[in-house]
Amino acid sequence: MRGSSERNLADILALFDMHDAGDGSFNGPQPDATGMQRVYGGQVAAQAIAAAARTVSGRRLHSLHVAFLRPGDPGRPLRYGVATLREGRTFSTRRVTVSQDAVTLMEALVSFLEPIDSYDYQQPMSAAPEPDSLPGLQYQLRAALGDEVDNYLGPMRLGLVDLRYIDVPPRLAVGVPPPADAVCRLWLRLTDELPEALVQDPVLGACMLAYVSDWTILDPVQVAVANTWQTME
């Protein structure tokens, strides 16, 4: 796999092609470790979905719960052990244990749902400006951070994802009084043309969403404490 600055969407999707190791276990591919100090959490979460999905047929992802226990070494193989907790008429539930050299890095509960006709509901989206009216995150941060922007962006510096914040990005909220409500809304989209497999395969789409969303999951917390995840450890 190419170096981090040259990686493209096909390289990321290749990370979700799990290798069957037998006995309910799968090996997860690793990207080129150049410049990486630890395994990206979004990669591990996405590969846990991919491994669990290999043991389920005809059902779509319903939920994902993960507990990160230890950081992973990007230069060593990742093993995903899948255990069947439930195989019901409509739900399949799997536990995925992610390890390196028999040391557990993450535990995940992954459930899948049979396609059924039922009630549909989602919380109405709040009013927001259109994404094309907002600047991209890299443009916003480069004006404030200069050449240090790549160190902050981490996996997002690959340019695969266009992030457009409606509210103040966490890095620009550092050192300023936090708002009354720590809200951090954004639009995101992949910049590459979507391959047909990503459009047609709901599991692959769920893996890609998990991979990307790990970058933003702590945004409201970072805004609330006027700090970033790099310095909160």
Side-chain angles (χ1 to χ4, degrees):
M1 187 168 287
R2 292 182 286 272
S4 60
S5 63
E6 303 174 9
R7 213 174 304 157
N8 58 30
L9 179 57
D11 293 326
I12 301 302
L13 294 178
L15 295 175
F16 313 145
D17 185 11
M18 309 299 287
H19 305 153
D20 193 339
D23 298 325
S25 294
F26 300 86
N27 293 327
Q30 288 273 42
D32 190 307
T34 303
M36 297 178 62
Q37 296 181 342
R38 63 182 67 183
V39 178
Y40 174 52
Q43 172 193 327
V44 183
Q47 288 181 331
I49 295 173
R54 290 283 294 272
T55 70
V56 177
S57 177
R59 296 182 173 184
R60 295 195 176 195
L61 181 70
H62 173 260
S63 67
L64 170 70
H65 303 267
V66 303
F68 292 100
L69 305 176
R70 298 176 181 87
D73 183 345
R76 291 156 53 202
L78 289 164
R79 176 62 65 94
Y80 292 76
V82 181
T84 298
L85 301 185
R86 181 188 180 191
E87 194 62 49
R89 288 189 300 173
T90 55
F91 282 94
S92 299
T93 305
R94 304 292 188 262
R95 182 181 65 240
V96 183
T97 301
V98 188
S99 62
Q100 283 184 325
D101 299 331
V103 176
T104 301
L105 307 182
M106 188 190 83
E107 289 278 0
L109 284 178
V110 191
S111 71
F112 298 85
L113 178 65
E114 187 79 15
I116 57 175
D117 292 327
S118 186
Y119 297 103
D120 288 327
Y121 174 78
Q122 66 180 19
Q123 189 73 14
M125 178 178 168
S126 60
E130 292 297 317
D132 288 338
S133 69
L134 300 168
L137 178 61
Q138 290 183 330
Y139 175 82
Q140 286 181 287
L141 294 185
R142 194 167 297 281
L145 303 180
D147 293 339
E148 292 299 313
V149 65
D150 286 345
N151 293 331
Y152 172 74
L153 288 174
M156 293 301 102
R157 73 177 180 270
L158 302 176
L160 296 175
V161 183
D162 183 8
L163 302 173
R164 303 203 175 197
Y165 278 79
I166 298 164
D167 304 294
V168 177
R171 182 60 183 84
L172 299 185
V174 171
V176 302
D181 294 320
V183 177
C184 206
R185 300 167 297 164
L186 75 155
W187 297 98
L188 63 84
R189 62 186 172 191
L190 297 176
T191 56
D192 284 5
E193 182 177 352
L194 301 185
E196 191 65 20
L198 185 57
V199 175
Q200 297 296 331
D201 186 347
V203 171
L204 196 60
C207 291
M208 192 69 224
L209 182 60
Y211 182 91
V212 172
S213 62
D214 182 64
W215 170 256
T216 63
I217 198 167
L218 285 179
D219 279 0
V221 177
Q222 296 178 90
V223 170
V225 300
N227 213 331
T228 65
W229 61 266
Q230 288 95 333
T231 56
M232 283 196 294
E233 297 180 335

